Amino acid sequence: MATLIIVSNRLPINVTKRANDLHFQRSVGGLATGLSSFRDSHHSQWIGWPGIATDKISEHQKQQISNKLKEQNCHSVFLSAKDIQNFYHGFCNKTIWPLFHYFPLYTMYEDRYWQAYKQVNKAFCDAVIKIAEPDDYIWVHDYQLMLLPELIRREQPNAQIGFFLHIPFPSFELFRLLPWRTSLLSGLLGADLIGFHTYDYVRHFLSSTARIVGTEHSMGSLTIGNRIVKADAFPMGIDYDRYSGAVEDQKVKKRLTTIRKKVGERKIIISIDRLDYTKGIVQRLEAFDLFLSQNPEYKEKVTLILVAVPSRTDVEDYMELRKQVEGLVSRINGEHGVIGWVPVWYLYRFLPFEGIAALYNAADVALVTPLRDGMNLIAKEFVATKTDGKGVLILSEMAGAASELGEAITVNAHNKQAIIDAIKEALEMPIEEQVERNRLMQKRLSRYTVTRWANDFLETLSDVKKTQQQLSVHKLTKPIREKLINEYEKSSKRLFLLDYDGTLVGFAGRPEKAGPDEGLFALLQSLAADSKNEVVIISGRDKATLNHWLGNLNASLIAEHGAWFKDRADVWRVIEPLRNDWKDTIRPILELYTDRTPGSSVEEKDFSLVWHFRRSDPELAYLRSQELKDAVLNLTANLDIGVFEGSKILEVKNIGISKGQAAELWLTKQKWDFILAAGDDYTDEDLFAVLPESAYSIRVGYGISKARFNLDSVYELRLLLEELVKK
Ligand code: G6P
């Protein structure tokens, strides 16, 4: 049975040391809970950091930790104090965390942090490779391990890898600030499925991949080499039954009674978070302060219980925040409090489940106003706990949870007056309305629980894998490759029909920069030098460029997708009389669009005009290309002219002309006993369509094609041709 290997920075068990004794504490994080039923029914292993620095423990204790955790199917990746400093506090929590939460001013760009991030991701990779079998599912979690998918992929090219980001993925405008943005993206793209909490984060991720890596998506799917990579939204849920059943728990009941006794008839507002600057705790306190000033009738009638869970206490920004929060709490209590009434009850500690559940139950209002939050499960837990339907959630629109909890009172967490008004509205909301709103949210939360979330993600991962396998059915496998080589060796009349860009060379930012390198030139020269071979380069390029780059070869050339051809040393000929007077009408339109789209350019050939936009902003270029297509089609409706979309180009040319038509000239020339044709885009499909069944047609890259076989890359095709040349 396939094993699920979960990889996250922290293991679900945290190890601490007190007076030289090791303590093992189970954490009840959402992820651990979400996967628990899955973990019971499937084999699973968890890889992560046990939470303690190796410098603090002896070799023997390290062994002890490993052994004890292994009993629970957990594998430790140990970090030294220096790793913790540079990787965890550094790159994770001073670089990625602030930037991805829209705090660029808190973001530090330090090369030593980046070096540590790479090294720790590598250590995680080694741990995965040690236990992973080929058909296992590997599920990597969160921003601490963004390089891991690619690192694993390098070691195990066919592994099934999922990645889930638990924090926001920022807009391109922020992501682009990272000096290591390309490496991080290519790290993530090693996965088969990349999950986010909301569709906004998916959008931001896809826009960054388009702008930085240059890969466009189609309905969230990207083609990376020979793999389809999917990005999608999976809003993480909670263990609904646990929270909705909490009122029945004796321990919770006891705590609830204590709270009620202490607070009396006053209304309770709760605020529970890790003490983190993204949570908007300061702004929330300031709003509560103003609420009391603006609504003095609420004095002594309401208590704010503020729970701040200690977090990342070694990072300066967090130390600073603690001071600020504590200063504010004492100021508010000092200014508004009276004997017998303390407006803010402040707890700086971790609370166990019973404590939290009792607070949720006791509260009239939950104030959840992060400035940015990937999801925020507190909001969901609060709603789930309210079995009698009473209680009001005030939720920041900047939390991922806001897209699912539309019945909450939503606020802009930076707008203090909006928070003040929301508090008042919440305290005064009629019970029937509270119940109605909560019931709708509860229905939703009880359906998409954390278990559903985990299953949904893993099922989608398996579907992506299936799609990849369907595509790779056509892959030029080793046995087919051997057969091809064998037939080549036995034959004496061989025809090669080879496309140029994207097939023999990769794409360049500027098309004129994609000339043949020495290796390619030598390869084509040897191929064409064999008297048994006829080599035809069949390209969309203009004839002058082809002549300049490849004219010295003993090969034939076809230019402009078949409009021109040159049989070896012969002169260039037009395939049929063609008109090109339409160019004068179309050219000014293309030029107008070029002016309006920075980075784009017009290429003019004898019988076609091409609008290139590889170097333009992808979204703007897409929009403009659709407009341009419409404009040109309107003008050419009664001519024999068509508009074709290629790889970051729009080409206007005569409809009848195709690579297929030109290839026929060679196909009918004589009886070939070996034909190999290769191409990479839609113009090559016309070529594949006219080949006899016995021909080896190869599409470089993946996607639906008429070609019989696929190869991953230009590199692989060149390797194959090199092998033939040596025969
Ligand atoms: C967020 C992150 C998690 C992280 C948690 C606690 O929820 O997405 O990856 O584990 O905060 O932070 P810590 O720094 O204590 O691991």
Side-chain angles (χ1 to χ4, degrees):
M1 188 200 264
T3 301
L4 169 66
I5 300 174
I6 305 152
V7 199
S8 64
N9 181 45
R10 284 183 188 275
L11 281 173
I13 299 168
N14 196 50
V15 183
T16 47
K17 191 173 128 179
R18 269 171 267 146
N20 211 31
D21 285 337
L22 296 175
H23 291 263
F24 294 80
Q25 199 169 24
R26 194 157 257 292
S27 80
V28 281
L31 184 59
T33 322
L35 291 166
S36 61
S37 69
F38 195 93
R39 293 190 83 203
D40 294 341
S41 55
H42 295 70
H43 288 299
S44 82
Q45 305 282 345
W46 199 312
I47 297 174
W49 172 49
I52 192 162
T54 42
D55 317 54
K56 287 199 185 149
I57 47 173
S58 64
E59 250 331 292
H60 172 69
Q61 286 176 319
K62 205 171 147 182
Q63 203 50 53
Q64 233 182 311
I65 295 177
S66 295
N67 295 344
K68 178 104 198 229
L69 290 178
K70 237 179 227 159
E71 288 167 15
Q72 322 229 15
N73 292 328
C74 287
H75 302 261
S76 321
V77 176
F78 286 102
L79 303 180
S80 68
K82 201 167 161 217
D83 292 334
I84 295 172
Q85 193 56 28
N86 291 324
F87 160 75
Y88 172 66
H89 292 313
F91 201 77
C92 296
N93 292 329
K94 290 188 197 165
T95 310
I96 300 292
W97 180 270
L99 191 71
F100 279 38
H101 284 89
Y102 294 70
F103 282 81
L105 292 179
Y106 286 31
T107 307
M108 294 182 63
Y109 305 94
E110 290 276 347
D111 189 58
R112 74 198 144 100
Y113 292 171
W114 168 242
Q115 296 307 334
Y117 189 77
K118 283 199 291 188
Q119 172 228 315
V120 171
N121 271 255
K122 173 76 179 56
F124 271 83
C125 176
D126 294 344
V128 173
I129 296 305
K130 229 190 217 165
I131 61 166
E133 298 288 337
D135 59 346
D136 288 347
Y137 285 88
I138 303 169
W139 191 0
V140 182
H141 289 268
D142 227 357
Y143 65 104
Q144 300 91 347
L145 300 173
M146 289 195 280
L147 299 178
L148 191 52
E150 187 187 27
L151 292 174
I152 302 172
R153 175 80 50 212
R154 272 192 217 149
E155 302 284 328
Q156 294 198 349
N158 297 320
Q160 319 189 65
I161 310 173
F163 179 91
F164 192 86
L165 188 72
H166 292 260
I167 64 172
F169 193 93
S171 110
F172 167 69
E173 284 306 323
L174 278 233
F175 186 71
R176 70 190 307 191
L177 301 179
L178 271 179
W180 312 281
R181 59 199 185 185
T182 314
S183 307
L184 287 176
L185 282 183
S186 82
L188 289 175
L189 291 170
D192 300 300
L193 175 63
I194 307 173
F196 300 89
H197 282 303
T198 72
Y199 189 68
D200 281 338
Y201 310 154
V202 177
R203 259 191 323 108
H204 292 155
F205 169 75
L206 291 172
S207 141
S208 285
T209 14
R211 286 154 204 266
I212 296 168
V213 185
T215 315
E216 298 282 356
H217 73 100
S218 154
M219 314 257 290
S221 290
L222 301 150
T223 306
I224 306 290
N226 65 349
R227 283 180 309 119
I228 302 288
V229 176
K230 195 172 161 66
D232 210 345
F234 301 86
M236 190 180 187
I238 56 166
D239 183 351
Y240 189 82
D241 294 342
R242 186 168 190 226
Y243 286 92
S244 68
V247 244
E248 302 306 327
D249 183 316
Q250 286 313 317
K251 282 194 209 149
V252 176
K253 270 190 181 155
K254 218 169 127 206
R255 284 180 186 244
L256 185 60
T257 321
T258 319
I259 299 172
R260 266 286 154 228
K261 223 189 264 167
K262 299 239 154 105
V263 185
E265 284 307 299
R266 281 178 199 130
K267 297 258 185 191
I268 300 176
I269 303 177
I270 52 157
S271 154
I272 305 174
D273 303 277
R274 271 188 315 105
L275 188 67
D276 194 297
Y277 50 83
T278 60
K279 305 288 181 184
I281 303 173
V282 168
Q283 290 75 359
R284 199 177 304 164
L285 276 171
E286 286 170 351
F288 184 63
D289 177 23
L290 286 171
F291 167 77
L292 292 177
S293 305
Q294 288 180 15
N295 303 282
E297 69 277 16
Y298 273 105
K299 287 197 178 182
E300 296 186 66
K301 302 253 167 55
V302 57
T303 299
L304 171 65
I305 303 181
L306 186 94
V307 181
V309 180
S311 178
R312 305 173 193 167
T313 45
D314 288 353
V315 177
E316 298 75 16
D317 291 324
Y318 289 74
M319 298 178 194
E320 201 38 56
L321 176 69
R322 182 178 174 192
K323 275 197 224 146
Q324 215 183 339
V325 166
E326 294 181 354
L328 251 174
V329 169
S330 53
R331 186 175 66 68
I332 297 172
N333 285 342
E335 278 179 22
H336 298 283
V338 292
I339 307 277
W341 177 57
V342 181
V344 185
W345 292 10
Y346 171 63
L347 309 177
Y348 178 65
R349 76 191 65 139
F350 166 79
L351 285 187
F353 170 75
E354 296 77 30
I356 300 265
L359 276 180
Y360 289 151
N361 260 304
D364 297 286
V365 178
L367 197 49
V368 186
T369 54
L371 302 177
R372 278 287 160 176
D373 208 334
M375 170 48 76
N376 197 298
L377 297 177
I378 302 279
K380 294 188 171 181
E381 292 166 3
F382 170 77
V383 173
T385 311
K386 293 300 194 185
T387 26
D388 60 3
K390 289 188 234 157
V392 182
L393 171 66
I394 301 177
L395 181 60
S396 159
E397 50 194 39
M398 295 305 184
S403 37
E404 289 162 86
L405 302 177
E407 292 78 12
I409 303 181
T410 46
V411 290
N412 171 353
H414 290 277
N415 183 344
K416 269 186 221 128
Q417 192 55 49
I419 302 182
I420 297 167
D421 296 344
I423 295 177
K424 191 148 191 287
E425 186 188 341
L427 291 171
E428 292 167 10
M429 187 182 283
I431 300 288
E432 312 76 69
E433 186 179 343
Q434 297 182 17
V435 176
E436 195 187 313
R437 288 180 185 233
N438 284 329
R439 291 283 179 249
L440 287 167
M441 293 193 276
Q442 285 168 346
K443 215 165 159 194
R444 222 169 290 137
L445 294 177
S446 62
R447 271 199 311 264
Y448 205 76
T449 62
V450 69
T451 313
R452 259 291 289 290
W453 166 81
N455 289 341
D456 192 12
F457 184 91
L458 291 169
E459 273 162 26
T460 312
L461 175 58
S462 146
D463 289 346
V464 175
K465 248 351 215 199
K466 271 185 219 138
T467 315
Q468 285 177 1
Q469 270 152 9
Q470 276 159 6
L471 286 173
S472 66
V473 169
H474 304 292
K475 197 168 163 146
L476 192 89
T477 55
K478 210 159 166 232
I480 303 169
R481 188 189 169 93
E482 275 160 18
K483 188 165 171 263
L484 182 156
I485 296 173
N486 193 283
E487 283 181 21
Y488 174 84
E489 276 186 285
K490 283 200 286 197
S491 56
S492 55
K493 288 182 208 136
R494 311 163 181 145
L495 175 63
F496 287 84
L497 297 161
L498 306 173
D499 166 52
Y500 183 75
D501 292 274
T503 301
L504 293 173
V505 291
F507 286 104
R510 289 173 190 278
E512 63 274 18
K513 290 260 156 63
D517 50 277
E518 268 175 43
L520 174 63
F521 196 84
L523 168 66
L524 293 174
Q525 206 163 26
S526 319
L527 199 66
D530 189 329
S531 60
K532 293 178 185 165
N533 295 349
E534 168 120 23
V535 178
V536 186
I537 305 295
I538 178 160
S539 165
R541 293 264 181 182
D542 64 81
K543 61 185 195 310
T545 308
L546 284 186
N547 240 359
H548 173 61
W549 285 344
L550 306 167
N552 289 338
L553 292 172
N554 181 29
S556 299
L557 303 176
I558 294 176
E560 293 197 27
H561 304 297
W564 290 99
F565 68 93
K566 182 170 93 78
D567 198 337
R568 302 206 197 190
D570 197 358
V571 290
W572 282 99
R573 297 173 196 281
V574 224
I575 199 137
E576 60 181 58
L578 290 170
R579 285 178 61 173
N580 61 6
D581 48 352
W582 54 267
K583 286 201 303 186
D584 294 335
T585 320
I586 302 298
R587 190 184 305 103
I589 304 175
L590 263 58
E591 279 165 358
L592 175 71
Y593 274 79
T594 303
D595 292 339
R596 293 173 59 201
T597 317
S600 67
S601 59
V602 180
E603 181 192 1
E604 175 146 5
K605 305 185 210 173
D606 293 326
F607 299 104
S608 78
L609 288 170
V610 192
W611 190 59
H612 288 263
F613 51 85
R614 185 170 297 278
R615 290 169 58 243
S616 303
D617 177 288
E619 276 156 32
L620 174 68
Y622 177 74
L623 179 76
R624 291 277 183 263
S625 68
Q626 298 310 305
E627 289 170 4
L628 177 57
K629 198 171 154 188
D630 267 1
V632 175
L633 283 175
N634 273 334
L635 282 168
T636 54
N638 51 357
L639 296 172
D640 222 7
I641 304 300
V643 186
F644 301 87
E645 287 178 77
S647 171
K648 313 263 171 133
I649 59 136
L650 206 68
E651 180 146 12
V652 190
K653 65 179 177 80
N654 291 71
I655 283 173
I657 297 304
S658 78
K659 287 187 178 177
Q661 186 193 23
E664 298 270 20
L665 293 179
W666 270 266
L667 289 167
T668 52
K669 214 170 177 182
Q670 61 165 301
K671 201 161 166 22
W672 305 100
D673 50 12
F674 177 90
I675 302 175
L676 188 153
D680 74 303
D681 71 13
Y682 76 103
T683 62
D684 303 309
E685 293 299 318
D686 295 329
L687 164 63
F688 299 144
V690 298
L691 297 172
E693 253 175 49
S694 58
Y696 285 93
S697 48
I698 300 174
R699 170 161 172 157
V700 175
Y702 284 77
I704 296 166
S705 171
K706 294 193 184 90
R708 287 173 63 206
F709 305 107
N710 290 93
L711 273 178
D712 285 0
S713 59
V714 168
Y715 173 74
E716 281 204 17
L717 178 73
R718 278 165 65 159
L719 275 187
L720 174 69
L721 295 177
E722 264 154 29
E723 211 169 320
L724 295 182
V725 162
K726 285 193 206 120
K727 293 291 164 189

